[in-house]
Amino acid sequence: MLLSNPPKSFSPNPFKPPFWLSNPHLQSILPKFFAPKAPKYRRDILQDSLDETDIAYDFYDAHFIANTNDDTLEQTPLIVLFHGMEGSSDSHYARALAYQMHAQGWHFVVAHFRSCGGIPANGRVFYNAGDTAEVHHMLQNLSQKFANIYAVGVSLGGNALAKYMGEYGDKALCKAAVVVSAPVDMSSAAISMHSFLSHRIYTPYLLNPIIKKALANDISEEEIHSIRAVNRISDFDDIFTAPRHGYRSNNDYYHSASALPYLRDVNRPLLLISAKDDPFLGFTATPNDVSDSVTILETEHGGHVGYIRYRSDKGKSNREQLNGKDTKTSKFDINWIPETASAFFQSIGVTTDNN
């Protein structure tokens, strides 16, 4: 495990799966089968930054937040999650993060990107991995009620968050961030996705839903025929994502939206977590690519937003407390990412309330 430039008190547990669980595709696929049930979220609906589309904010509150008529802000920390492509508050990592942050005594919210969370996009634009204006708008909405905001970004949502932290610098509205499995160099990530296994295993899972959403939108006959013919995400980005968001091509989109060039300008604590065997990623950040505010945590294994562990010790009980209820648990768990994110936030001074 490579750990560069960590805060003094940050000492994450190593991620060491058994050899039979170290395959990157098992790591990437299995977690969704071992995620806890989704908590009972509280949903708020607000407009996106263009005032075109409704956006869902799904909260898992640490405690009741009273409505006041003055400008008093909630002081308990809020952890906001920016999900990956076709992700939502129902994603395996969102569920695991929700329970971990709630256990720390922190509020948690999933800020959905356009067309996600069960709400269709009504405007011309959809999901854009470099749309830092939308990230800033979401954080502005949350800052109307919460004084202390921290963020977690996963996959493409992680790229958007990392780019935001560098692009906005001191004006970033979150005090620190953790980014997991982010394709910070999107061009090389697209090439990785074209490899035989990645294309066969993951492309249909990711591509089919976004094609369905695009076809349900107000698009031209020419766009319909072109979209139905694509079989790679990069082709979809060239035909649909790039022109819809003002880019000249998919290459222009990947170059402009990538977070990597902005990481040298980050001046608030940022943790970048990635696995060397991630089948989705291309080039990742090195210590020479980032500012002193960025900590890089690179593991040998973990796949893409995987990090599933197996508890082999027979001495431990197979029951645990979950949301106040005694429940049966699997020997598999996906808590390494939530635990590491929580440890990072604590290391920079975010206080917990476990009572």
Side-chain angles (χ1 to χ4, degrees):
M1 183 171 73
L2 170 67
L3 183 64
S4 68
N5 197 35
K8 289 183 179 180
S9 59
F10 180 55
S11 182
N13 291 325
F15 179 73
K16 294 182 179 179
F19 74 92
W20 52 269
L21 193 57
S22 62
N23 180 278
H25 302 296
L26 287 178
Q27 282 288 324
S28 302
I29 295 170
L30 286 181
K32 68 178 182 179
F33 298 106
F34 295 97
K37 292 183 179 180
K40 293 183 178 179
Y41 293 110
R42 171 178 62 85
R43 172 163 284 196
D44 281 354
I45 304 294
L46 300 170
Q47 284 283 287
D48 71 344
S49 57
L50 301 177
D51 287 328
E52 293 180 345
T53 295
D54 286 342
I55 298 296
Y57 295 75
D58 285 352
F59 291 86
Y60 189 33
D61 300 318
H63 54 76
F64 176 74
I65 303 173
N67 291 322
T68 60
N69 294 324
D70 55 25
D71 294 329
T72 302
L73 296 177
E74 169 66 20
Q75 296 299 308
T76 299
L78 171 72
I79 313 300
V80 53
L81 171 65
F82 296 100
H83 60 79
M85 178 184 288
E86 289 307 296
S88 71
S89 59
D90 196 43
S91 296
H92 69 271
Y93 52 85
R95 300 185 203 177
L97 281 162
Y99 285 113
Q100 176 70 33
M101 301 312 165
H102 191 269
Q104 301 297 145
W106 302 333
H107 299 297
F108 178 77
V109 62
V110 180
H112 291 89
F113 290 103
R114 297 180 186 94
S115 81
C116 297
I119 298 180
N122 295 323
R124 178 174 174 78
V125 298
F126 277 53
Y127 191 105
N128 176 354
D131 192 354
T132 52
E134 182 69 6
V135 171
H136 190 65
H137 174 75
M138 291 175 172
L139 293 171
Q140 281 181 317
N141 284 336
L142 295 169
S143 67
Q144 302 303 307
K145 293 185 179 180
F146 297 90
N148 301 296
I149 299 176
Y150 302 85
V152 177
V154 172
S155 193
L156 284 181
N159 176 80
L161 176 59
K163 181 173 181 277
Y164 171 78
M165 295 295 286
E167 188 176 347
Y168 277 70
D170 287 332
K171 295 180 180 179
L173 296 179
C174 50
K175 296 184 176 181
V178 175
V179 166
V180 183
S181 301
V184 295
D185 182 79
M186 292 179 60
S187 294
S188 60
I191 294 173
S192 295
M193 285 296 292
H194 291 168
S195 68
F196 178 78
L197 279 177
S198 292
H199 180 67
R200 292 291 182 182
I201 296 174
Y202 305 111
T203 295
Y205 174 76
L206 294 171
L207 186 59
N208 291 341
I210 61 176
I211 287 178
K212 184 178 179 180
K213 288 179 180 179
L215 293 174
N217 199 250
D218 183 17
I219 59 177
S220 67
E221 285 295 325
E222 183 179 355
E223 284 180 310
I224 291 174
H225 292 307
S226 298
I227 290 171
R228 283 178 172 168
V230 304
N231 62 5
R232 299 190 305 182
I233 292 175
S234 61
D235 295 334
F236 178 85
D237 286 337
D238 195 44
I239 292 169
F240 189 82
T241 308
R244 285 254 167 172
H245 293 88
Y247 300 105
R248 295 168 61 89
S249 65
N250 59 347
N251 292 325
D252 183 35
Y253 169 45
Y254 297 152
H255 173 76
S256 301
S258 294
L260 189 60
Y262 296 88
L263 296 178
R264 67 191 68 172
D265 299 320
V266 174
N267 54 22
R268 293 189 177 172
L270 170 63
L271 173 64
L272 296 177
I273 301 174
S274 63
K276 291 182 180 179
D277 64 355
D278 190 322
F280 285 41
L281 301 191
F283 297 134
T284 55
T286 71
N288 290 330
D289 295 317
V290 304
S291 73
D292 292 340
S293 298
V294 179
T295 298
I296 296 175
L297 175 54
E298 189 175 53
T299 60
E300 291 294 328
H301 305 289
H304 188 72
V305 202
Y307 292 99
I308 184 170
R309 299 181 297 196
Y310 180 78
R311 298 176 291 185
S312 60
D313 52 315
K314 297 181 180 179
K316 288 188 176 181
S317 170
N318 68 339
R319 305 183 74 88
E320 68 177 17
Q321 286 292 116
L322 180 62
N323 200 25
K325 297 181 180 179
D326 191 36
T327 60
K328 290 183 178 180
T329 62
S330 168
K331 287 188 176 181
F332 294 92
D333 81 66
I334 58 171
N335 295 325
W336 186 84
I337 289 173
E339 290 170 2
T340 303
S342 175
F344 180 75
F345 289 138
Q346 291 180 63
S347 75
I348 61 169
V350 185
T351 59
T352 64
D353 182 6
N354 303 109
N355 296 326

